[in-house]
Amino acid sequence: FVDWVDGQAMLYRVQILSDGSCTYRNRWLDTWNHRSHREAGKIAVRETCSRPSIPNFFERLMAMLSPPNNENGNLHISQVCGNARCVSMSVGSSCLEFKLGDLSTLGKLPFRDELTEGGPLIFHAEPHVDPISGEWYTCAIQLKIDVDNFGMKPEYVVFSVEPTESQQPGAELKRRLITRIETE
C-alpha cells in the first residue's frame, strides 16, 4: 500500500476483569477489500490512495472513473446509539459495524435517510460523541456532479446520529443533517 490510510483494519480488545486479570482478543475486520487483497496476494481493489496493477489501458481507465468500494475502516473506532453499537471507519471508508463481544463484522452501517441522494459520503472525519447528550457527530465529503464545469464538486456534510436511534446491531439508522457546506 502507498499510504497508511489504505491498510486493513485489525480490531483489538483488552478487557480488565474485576479480579485484576485481563483478556485479549484481536480479529481482522472482515470486509470485501480485505478478502479481495488476501485472495489475490496483492493489492486487488482500489483503496483511497493505492491502486491495483491493471495492465489493460481500458480497464485501468474504467477503474479510475469508478468510485472505490472502500471497506477498510482502519482509522477510527467509535460507538453510536448510546454507546451500544460499535463502528470502525477510515478516511475514505464506509462506516462499518462490528460486535464488541467477539469482534465479528456486521457490515456497512445501514442508514435510512436522504443524505446520499447526491452521491456517496466519503472521507469521514474523526467522530465525536457529545458527553452530555450522547449524540454522535461527524462530517464527510460528498462529491456532487458539477454539470457547468464538467466535473465533480466536493461538498462538506455535517451530520449526527442521535442516541435514541436503534441499539439493535444491523438495524437502519437515521442521520440528522446539521449543515452542508459548498466549496468553490
Side-chain angles (χ1 to χ4, degrees), residues 122-149:
I122 59 172
F123 296 103
H124 290 84
E126 185 173 338
H128 295 279
V129 176
D130 183 300
I132 297 170
S133 71
E135 195 163 358
W136 185 82
Y137 293 90
T138 192
C139 72
I141 295 174
Q142 186 171 47
L143 295 176
K144 295 191 152 202
I145 296 173
D146 184 355
V147 258
D148 298 331
N149 296 308

Side-chain angles (χ1 to χ4, degrees), residues 5-133:
V5 301
D6 291 339
Q8 303 306 295
M10 170 70 75
L11 302 172
Y12 299 92
R13 188 190 77 208
V14 175
Q15 184 178 16
I16 301 172
L17 305 174
S18 60
D19 65 0
S21 64
C22 65
T23 63
Y24 169 81
R25 181 174 184 112
N26 67 314
R27 191 173 195 172
W28 287 104
L29 195 61
D30 183 25
T31 65
W32 178 80
N33 287 36
H34 185 240
R35 288 188 305 274
S36 299
H37 298 315
R38 286 182 62 123
E39 288 169 13
K42 61 181 182 178
I43 298 173
V45 296
R46 180 177 167 191
E47 294 284 351
T48 303
C49 299
S50 301
R51 309 286 187 267
S53 296
I54 303 173
N56 179 297
F57 174 77
F58 180 72
E59 289 177 9
R60 193 175 330 134
L61 180 63
M62 293 307 296
M64 287 172 46
L65 298 174
S66 302
N69 189 22
N70 275 16
E71 286 189 6
N72 67 9
N74 68 351
L75 293 180
H76 309 298
I77 300 292
S78 188
Q79 292 179 304
V80 296
C81 305
N83 294 330
R85 296 173 68 178
C86 297
V87 179
S88 180
M89 53 202 291
S90 186
V91 175
S93 174
S94 301
C95 295
L96 302 162
E97 187 173 11
F98 66 94
K99 290 182 182 178
L100 184 59
D102 64 1
L103 302 179
S104 60
T105 306
L106 296 172
K108 291 182 181 179
L109 196 61
F111 294 109
R112 65 170 193 291
D113 53 44
E114 68 290 336
L115 291 186
T116 58
E117 286 179 1
L121 297 179
I122 59 172
F123 296 103
H124 290 84
E126 185 173 338
H128 295 279
V129 176
D130 183 300
I132 297 170
S133 71

Side-chain angles (χ1 to χ4, degrees), residues 113-115 121 128 130 133 135-140 155-162 174-181:
D113 53 44
E114 68 290 336
L115 291 186
L121 297 179
H128 295 279
D130 183 300
S133 71
E135 195 163 358
W136 185 82
Y137 293 90
T138 192
C139 72
E155 180 176 271
Y156 292 97
V157 180
V158 181
F159 63 93
S160 70
V161 175
E162 296 179 353
K174 179 160 177 52
R175 294 172 285 199
R176 182 175 70 88
L177 176 64
I178 296 169
T179 190
R180 291 180 175 271
I181 304 166

